[in-house]
Amino acid sequence: MVQQVTPETTIEVIYPERDGQPMADNTEQFAWIVKIKENLEILFALQPDVFIAGDLFWYPVQGNPNIKQAPDTMVVFGRPKGKRSSYLQWNEENIPPQVVFEILSPGNTLKEMTKKLQFYQRYGVEEYYIYDPDKNDLNGLLSSGDSFEVIEEMNGWVSPRLGIRFTLTPDTLEIVSPTGQKFLSPLEIDQLRQQERQRAEGERQAKEAALQELKAASQELEKERDRYQELLAKLREKGIDTDNL
């Protein structure tokens, strides 16, 4: 009797791109997510091997779609920029995000944030920053072996990976790039661009006016030279030696 061997059926594992939850619970939280993510994009725009994403699912374990998180902003050094529907770590040379930001909202629970901390600790995050805009409270953690250590003083702290400096004022959090450029909202960036365009246009108009004045002065000088030559010619006609004037 011949025994038939039934080939094993390969089950495709689906890694969802969305969980149906909004990226942010309110406008303040959304504004901070956008500000941090977009300014980091600007900061590392010329480095092709720095991938930055906001609210993107990160799956660290192949074959288990239940193990995932979607950091508000994550930064991955050593991976190329580009479009991704999710961050499948085994397809990214097994490089985890090194830096993660979470922006708190009133809807965040202690249980939820504890799970996130444990996840980031377990799967290789080096720097974890948590900002509560309502309380203007910033906390940071650094990886140390298999655990996180709390950064005791965040005011003036400089990220080892990003090089950005955090400053807590009485009203808000300020983030400054290594070049001294303050992190700005898209509206503030656009306003600066408009101011720069206006400044450049003002300089262009000033240069154009100066050129016009120089041209007018040159033309007037040419007229004076012509009048002078006409006067000399008339004097010569009258027999006056202009060379000895």
Side-chain angles (χ1 to χ4, degrees):
M1 180 178 181
V2 178
Q3 183 178 4
Q4 292 184 344
V5 178
T6 304
E8 294 183 2
T9 302
T10 301
I11 300 175
E12 181 183 3
V13 179
I14 305 298
Y15 301 92
E17 300 174 13
R18 291 291 166 191
D19 58 4
Q21 299 299 315
M23 182 172 74
D25 292 339
N26 54 54
T27 56
E28 184 73 4
Q29 184 188 26
F30 180 80
W32 273 102
I33 294 171
V34 171
K35 177 187 285 190
I36 292 174
K37 189 264 184 185
E38 292 304 313
N39 279 269
L40 288 174
E41 292 274 20
I42 294 170
L43 178 60
F44 293 101
L46 299 180
Q47 297 188 34
D49 62 343
V50 180
F51 173 68
I52 299 166
D55 193 41
L56 183 74
F57 270 143
W58 162 26
Y59 292 93
V61 180
Q62 186 174 12
N64 194 335
N66 295 318
I67 301 177
K68 65 181 183 298
Q69 280 295 340
D72 287 336
T73 299
M74 66 180 186
V75 184
V76 191
F77 290 86
R79 297 306 302 150
K81 301 181 189 300
K83 296 180 180 180
R84 290 168 175 79
S85 56
S86 57
Y87 191 81
L88 306 176
Q89 188 171 312
W90 54 93
N91 289 336
E92 306 285 353
E93 296 186 6
N94 207 35
I95 298 176
Q98 293 95 348
V99 185
V100 162
F101 290 84
E102 292 287 354
I103 308 300
L104 298 184
S105 73
N108 291 124
T109 64
L110 178 60
K111 180 179 180 181
E112 175 190 359
M113 298 311 297
T114 300
K115 284 185 175 180
K116 286 186 176 183
L117 186 150
Q118 292 173 338
F119 180 96
Y120 298 145
Q121 180 176 275
R122 179 174 182 180
Y123 292 108
V125 171
E126 297 175 11
E127 302 178 38
Y128 177 26
Y129 299 105
I130 310 159
Y131 181 57
D132 185 341
D134 290 336
K135 297 179 180 178
N136 190 28
D137 183 47
L138 175 67
N139 288 280
L141 301 104
L142 286 181
S143 65
S144 178
D146 296 329
S147 62
F148 276 136
E149 286 188 358
V150 174
I151 302 170
E152 296 296 339
E153 181 55 67
M154 283 303 303
N155 194 17
W157 172 261
V158 176
S159 161
R161 273 284 190 176
L162 307 176
I164 59 177
R165 185 177 74 253
F166 302 93
T167 301
L168 282 166
T169 71
D171 301 317
T172 190
L173 168 66
E174 291 183 353
I175 305 175
V176 180
S177 75
T179 61
Q181 177 62 51
K182 181 180 174 183
F183 276 28
L184 302 173
S185 68
L187 177 59
E188 290 170 327
I189 292 173
D190 184 64
Q191 289 173 341
L192 281 181
R193 286 174 179 166
Q194 291 186 29
Q195 291 173 8
E196 179 59 25
R197 283 195 294 267
Q198 291 171 357
R199 184 196 63 77
E201 179 61 19
E203 288 184 355
R204 187 195 67 78
Q205 291 178 357
K207 289 179 181 178
E208 182 66 25
L211 287 173
Q212 291 298 327
E213 290 179 3
L214 182 61
K215 182 178 180 181
S218 177
Q219 291 174 345
E220 186 62 29
L221 181 62
E222 187 66 27
K223 289 179 181 178
E224 288 294 331
R225 187 180 296 110
D226 291 343
R227 286 194 290 266
Y228 178 69
Q229 292 299 327
E230 289 176 5
L231 177 60
L232 291 178
K234 289 179 180 179
L235 291 175
R236 293 190 189 100
E237 288 176 359
K238 294 180 179 182
I240 298 174
D241 184 5
T242 58
D243 294 334
N244 297 317
L245 289 177

